[in-house]
Amino acid sequence: MKLFAALLFLVALSFGVPKIVVKDPWVREVPPVSTMSAAFMEIYNEGDEEDYLIGVETDVARVAELHTTIMEGGMMKMRKLENVKVPAKGKVSFKPMGKHIMLIDLKKVLRAGEKVKLTLIFKKSGKIEVQAPVRRGMMMMH
Ligand SMILES: [Cu+2]
């Protein structure tokens, strides 16, 4: 068992590991009648191996999905993504009009100044928890 652990350690050393750092997370304030909002952030990978964001959990919405925004026939549309790659020594931006974390079926009204706990789930790095303040931001069409 000790040998196995030592081997695992060596494997981890030789293949490198992702090192995820989340910066500037925030959630868009929406009118009380809205059942949807979105979360944004910068996800850096300071490690030397890529990782993938594969899901998000939160208490404030029934569902959290990874989305991207595309232009199609002059219309802005959203597409669900199964995962988002965070390249080694690279970063991914989640921002209005781009990739975002869609919060669907909000369970409560999100007001500017409050904080929302988001649990980001990565394929290799596991769960990373962030506190995202609610801010006013541009509305996006759905
Ligand atoms: Cu969306």
Side-chain angles (χ1 to χ4, degrees):
M1 203 57 206
K2 258 183 193 158
L3 178 64
F4 182 65
L7 280 175
L8 269 185
F9 182 65
L10 281 176
V11 166
L13 276 183
S14 57
F15 284 89
V17 283
K19 185 174 183 293
I20 298 295
V21 179
V22 179
K23 291 181 184 167
D24 197 26
W26 64 284
V27 172
R28 188 197 293 118
E29 186 187 50
V30 289
V33 290
S34 178
T35 57
M36 285 197 281
S37 185
F40 310 97
M41 64 195 65
E42 305 271 328
I43 302 179
Y44 289 79
N45 182 358
E46 295 174 354
D48 49 16
E49 193 181 288
E50 83 279 2
D51 205 345
Y52 297 84
L53 179 62
I54 55 173
V56 179
E57 290 171 354
T58 181
D59 290 338
V60 301
R62 194 177 54 81
V63 181
E65 289 182 352
L66 304 173
H67 279 190
T68 191
T69 311
I70 57 160
M71 286 297 285
E72 203 180 80
M75 298 267 289
M76 208 179 307
K77 292 185 177 174
M78 300 196 298
R79 287 274 179 280
K80 188 180 170 185
L81 300 170
E82 289 309 313
N83 60 64
V84 175
K85 183 178 177 177
V86 191
K89 304 286 183 196
K91 72 157 184 168
V92 173
S93 297
F94 288 77
K95 58 188 180 199
M97 323 288 266
K99 292 190 184 72
H100 55 278
I101 295 160
M102 199 83 215
L103 305 175
I104 300 164
D105 261 355
L106 292 174
K107 294 178 183 171
K108 62 187 286 267
V109 177
L110 303 176
R111 295 191 190 286
E114 290 177 351
K115 286 197 170 176
V116 171
K117 188 174 92 175
L118 300 170
T119 305
L120 310 177
I121 305 163
F122 292 89
K123 191 172 167 188
K124 294 170 187 167
S125 302
K127 292 185 176 183
I128 294 177
E129 220 172 75
V130 298
Q131 294 287 338
V134 179
R135 282 196 224 149
R136 297 214 163 84
M138 194 174 33
M139 289 296 289
M140 206 171 11
M141 291 298 155
H142 290 102

